[in-house]
Amino acid sequence: MKLSILTISLIVTFIPFSLLSNTATSTPVYDIDGEPLTPGTGYYILPLIRGRGGGVKNYWNGSCPYYVAQANSEVDRGRPVQFYPVNPDEETIPLSTDLNIEFYDLITVCIQQYVWQLGDPVGDSGSQYVTAGGVLENPGEETVNRWFKIETHPDGDYKLVFCLTVCETCRPVCGDIGVLSQGGTRFLGLSDNPFRVCFARTLED
């Protein structure tokens, strides 16, 4: 199966970094060991509930960029990611702040960075999938589809969200990131059923 992902292009006006840092919550996100997540550190994104697949990984469908998907096997921890908050002075990853998510330490056929980004609606269903083909850059017109958040799930754990606040005039689609199963692959994309996650630090960090 091949899905066509188009780049989201929005005309936006951006607010200064000083305002962004003042509006972001100071409550950090914690990993499974009770330690706060830190920028540039490797973490596995794992399902909170066991028996529902493995960790988050890159998925090759025959063309670049890679898709972001959940491993089918519970014992597969997926591929590690690093988080980069919009405020580069943050020492930990806060809740509800815009951030880039990047797969790292990948050797693949795609010559690119592996920053997550949200694609345009696809097919009759209008589904929007997460791919890994963006680059780490400051907020700007060409990067608005690359900003995600970690939010608290109503049950008290964590979920991933796409709803950027790095601009004051743009009105992108906002929504939870969930698992969209197609053809035996568990793609990540916008969903009414959020993917409840936890974070495990990699052994090399």
Side-chain angles (χ1 to χ4, degrees):
M1 180 187 65
K2 292 189 178 181
L3 302 174
S4 175
I5 296 293
L6 302 176
T7 300
I8 296 175
S9 178
L10 299 173
I11 298 176
V12 296
T13 300
F14 292 90
I15 58 178
F17 275 106
S18 60
L19 294 180
L20 291 170
S21 60
N22 289 337
T23 56
T25 177
S26 59
T27 303
V29 178
Y30 293 94
D31 64 20
I32 59 175
D33 295 318
E35 298 294 330
L37 270 59
T38 55
T41 300
Y43 296 94
Y44 295 103
I45 301 178
L46 303 173
L48 179 73
I49 302 175
R50 300 195 59 173
R52 298 185 181 180
V56 173
K57 62 190 298 182
N58 57 309
Y59 173 79
W60 170 251
N61 79 321
S63 62
C64 299
Y66 280 82
Y67 285 87
V68 179
Q70 181 192 13
N72 288 323
S73 172
E74 183 178 356
V75 299
D76 186 347
R77 305 193 88 186
R79 296 294 307 182
V81 302
Q82 294 174 332
F83 300 101
Y84 297 94
V86 65
N87 181 356
D89 295 328
E90 295 281 5
E91 295 182 356
T92 61
I93 302 299
L95 277 171
S96 306
T97 194
D98 293 289
L99 52 83
N100 288 144
I101 306 173
E102 181 183 29
F103 287 122
Y104 78 103
D105 196 26
L106 283 180
I107 300 176
T108 72
V109 297
C110 295
I111 309 302
Q112 60 186 36
Q113 291 187 34
Y114 300 100
V115 176
W116 291 19
Q117 57 188 7
L118 185 69
D120 281 339
V122 174
D124 295 336
S125 67
S127 298
Q128 290 183 259
Y129 298 89
V130 181
T131 64
V135 296
L136 291 173
E137 294 179 336
N138 291 330
E141 181 180 338
E142 301 301 321
T143 69
V144 294
N145 62 336
R146 302 172 195 168
W147 297 94
F148 295 81
K149 296 179 182 178
I150 301 171
E151 299 277 13
T152 302
H153 187 275
D155 291 334
D157 37 80
Y158 296 120
K159 64 179 181 177
L160 301 174
V161 173
F162 178 83
C163 192
L164 80 166
T165 51
V166 293
C167 68
E168 61 181 357
T169 60
C170 61
R171 295 293 181 268
V173 173
C174 292
D176 294 325
I177 300 299
V179 176
L180 308 176
S181 295
Q182 290 194 24
T185 301
R186 301 167 65 86
F187 295 99
L188 263 60
L190 291 185
S191 173
D192 293 332
N193 186 21
F195 184 29
R196 297 170 64 183
V197 298
C198 57
F199 307 96
R201 186 166 177 165
T202 59
L203 294 178
E204 60 265 27
D205 285 305

